[in-house]
Amino acid sequence: MGNESSTVVDDSTPPSVLEARNLEGVAKYIKQRSVQRVVVMVGAGISTSAGIPDFRSPDTGLYSNLAYLDLPEPEDVFDIGFFRENPRPFYALARELAPGQFRPTIAHSFIKLLYDEGLLMKHFTQNIDCLERLAGVPGDMIVEAHGSFATQHCIDCKAEYPDDLMKAAVAKEEVPHCLQCQGLVKPDIVFFGEALPADFFENRELPEQADLCIIMGTSLTVQPFASLPGLVREGVPRVLINMERVGGLGSRPDDVLVLGDCDTGVRKLARALGWEQQLEAMWEATKPDQGTREAEQGPPPTREEQLQDEVDRLTEEVDRTLGFSSAYEERVRRHLEGTSSQKTDSAEETTRRTTTTTGAGQNDSESVGGLGHVFPHLARANKSG
Ligand code: APR
């Protein structure tokens, strides 16, 4: 396990294996070295674009938004000792996090593509959302280091709890109790203070055999998961695709830092590998079934129907606007002729009402409503009128 110094290797230190410390260099390495033992290590950051908040991002992270649960510390919601005392905050949150409401991201599809291309040795995830499974990555290729919602047990007698009862309880934010001993039941996600699943320890040496390591969307703050990248042998490239530099990545000559969002990073790597079309097609296939959606909402409008709707909407807006300006012209003409008629009042009413709406004294370009930004000539015409 190499020392993970905090300094980033500088450009004066050339890579020892890669041609260049970038995704093009990684793609060349994959092709030229016939890479086939890739380990992937991920965290919540690969699911944020699916709509699942991560934990520690400032403002948007889960831990910044749990005030409504009134917890001593945000992480208590996943603390086994706290859960024994008060399981309610967890079940209030579980409903929002439970699988089945989210679509995999293109980063999840990239992991599936690595598998399909025969390169994936093992995928280590800290996530409990099961989106890798939903993206089609086979279960035996995944190490769910922090468990998942896939199963649930009693925390006392360890008896399994039925899936359907669990789903019902989560949906109603109710706390389920063991059918055997009435103890508390929780999904098999690893709480702070609990041991990681045996599957993690049975596979944790695999990074030592890897010929490439890709780390995505994790702060690498929670042990023992955070120690995995350090197990990769020196001289084996490690690619970090993350909003920020974490875990001492960048300290080795063949570390590649891709600081930005995961979806953009995996698209860039796929492009360099010539896999762009397969990746997009694979991700497209993760869309919820069009059939069920059509059954609910009817067939999506055709392009022509969409265009016609847009034309109709704009026509209505223009008619309304022209109606205001011709009433305005009429009013000015009558005013100049020194005449006023009952008809003008009603037209003025329309104009006055709009002027009143936009505030007395404003020139009539404001009283035209919101189309000035759509038809600038209308805004100009009314200013000069
Ligand atoms: N693209 C790239 N990086 C992202 C994106 C994104 N779209 N969204 C978030 N990130 C980055 C954040 O900048 C941060 O570095 O992903 C990382 C997410 O870190 P955390 O919120 O700490 O999530 P994670 O690393 O999975 O947390 C580990 O902590 O609370 C426990 O059990 C929980 O498994 C979790 C563990």
Side-chain angles (χ1 to χ4, degrees):
M1 179 164 167
N3 296 325
E4 301 304 340
S5 73
S6 60
T7 52
V8 179
V9 67
D10 65 30
D11 292 345
S12 63
T13 311
S16 61
V17 169
L18 296 173
E19 221 175 78
R21 251 195 303 270
N22 58 33
L23 289 177
E24 288 70 22
V26 172
K28 272 201 184 132
Y29 167 80
I30 289 173
K31 300 277 187 191
Q32 290 165 1
R33 302 288 186 102
S34 313
V35 162
Q36 55 186 6
R37 292 192 316 282
V38 180
V39 285
V40 181
M41 304 158 183
V42 303
I46 71 161
S47 299
T48 49
S49 66
I52 304 174
D54 70 6
F55 294 93
R56 294 173 179 83
S57 282
D59 303 330
T60 55
L62 206 56
Y63 292 149
S64 307
N65 290 282
L66 293 182
Y68 72 102
L69 293 177
D70 201 17
L71 298 162
E73 294 295 334
E75 285 90 341
D76 286 342
V77 70
F78 292 116
D79 179 279
I80 191 65
F82 184 89
F83 180 81
R84 278 187 183 284
E85 296 301 317
N86 178 8
R88 291 200 172 284
F90 170 75
Y91 277 101
L93 182 63
R95 185 170 156 202
E96 292 174 43
L97 293 180
Q101 314 165 66
F102 305 99
R103 174 191 175 191
T105 66
I106 196 156
H108 293 102
S109 292
F110 181 77
I111 299 156
K112 171 66 165 57
L113 187 49
L114 282 174
Y115 169 74
D116 286 359
E117 293 291 330
L119 274 62
L120 184 66
M121 177 163 72
K122 194 64 85 174
H123 173 72
F124 292 84
T125 184
Q126 300 171 89
N127 298 341
I128 56 177
D129 53 36
C130 300
L131 287 184
E132 294 96 341
R133 291 172 185 262
L134 204 55
V137 182
D140 64 351
M141 296 303 289
I142 305 172
V143 173
E144 287 160 330
H146 293 172
S148 82
F149 273 95
T151 53
Q152 48 283 327
H153 289 80
C154 170
I155 64 171
D156 291 332
C157 74
K158 310 301 178 206
E160 191 150 356
Y161 191 76
D163 289 353
D164 55 343
L165 296 183
M166 188 58 168
K167 279 193 177 66
V170 167
K172 288 183 281 187
E173 293 186 30
E174 286 172 358
V175 178
H177 288 82
C178 176
L179 304 178
Q180 316 300 334
C181 73
Q182 291 313 305
L184 285 173
V185 169
K186 82 173 181 62
D188 293 340
I189 55 182
V190 179
F191 275 34
F192 290 114
E194 283 191 307
L196 273 65
D199 192 34
F200 175 81
F201 298 103
E202 286 158 12
N203 288 284
R204 76 170 301 179
E205 272 73 45
L206 281 182
E208 292 168 12
Q209 301 165 35
D211 50 15
L212 176 65
C213 175
I214 299 176
I215 302 132
M216 295 193 277
T218 177
S219 61
L220 290 178
T221 46
V222 175
Q223 294 294 358
F225 190 97
S227 65
L228 290 176
L231 300 174
V232 174
R233 282 172 294 126
E234 295 280 345
V236 172
R238 302 184 305 177
V239 183
L240 173 69
I241 302 178
N242 203 58
M243 285 298 186
E244 55 183 350
R245 182 175 173 244
V246 295
L249 271 299
S251 59
R252 296 183 184 181
D254 292 285
D255 282 357
V256 178
L257 298 181
V258 182
L259 302 187
D261 81 84
C262 294
D263 293 351
T264 305
V266 298
R267 280 196 162 101
K268 202 169 168 197
L269 180 50
R271 194 174 310 123
L273 286 162
W275 295 355
E276 202 172 9
Q277 281 188 335
Q278 293 140 283
L279 178 61
E280 295 296 345
M282 189 167 282
W283 187 51
E284 182 68 22
T286 66
K287 254 186 195 160
D289 173 19
Q290 291 287 7
T292 44
R293 196 159 62 184
E294 284 191 11
E296 285 153 14
Q297 302 164 2
T302 62
R303 184 82 187 106
E304 293 69 29
E305 284 165 343
Q306 288 172 343
L307 280 176
Q308 189 52 51
D309 289 348
E310 187 66 6
V311 167
D312 295 346
R313 186 181 69 77
L314 292 175
T315 308
E316 275 167 37
E317 291 283 358
V318 170
D319 289 348
R320 192 169 40 247
T321 303
L322 292 176
F324 289 147
S325 46
S326 55
Y328 175 71
E329 279 162 24
E330 178 68 9
R331 184 162 68 95
V332 170
R333 191 175 60 76
R334 294 281 175 93
H335 179 72
L336 292 176
E337 287 164 4
T339 57
S340 65
S341 73
Q342 189 55 29
K343 191 166 178 295
T344 306
D345 286 348
S346 65
E348 212 169 38
E349 178 56 28
T350 310
T351 309
R352 192 172 48 243
R353 193 174 48 239
T354 309
T355 307
T356 307
T357 313
T358 56
Q362 286 192 6
N363 70 39
D364 275 278
S365 65
E366 271 77 51
S367 71
V368 172
L371 273 183
H373 64 292
V374 179
F375 297 106
H377 65 284
L378 282 180
R380 281 195 301 276
N382 284 291
K383 270 191 195 297
S384 57

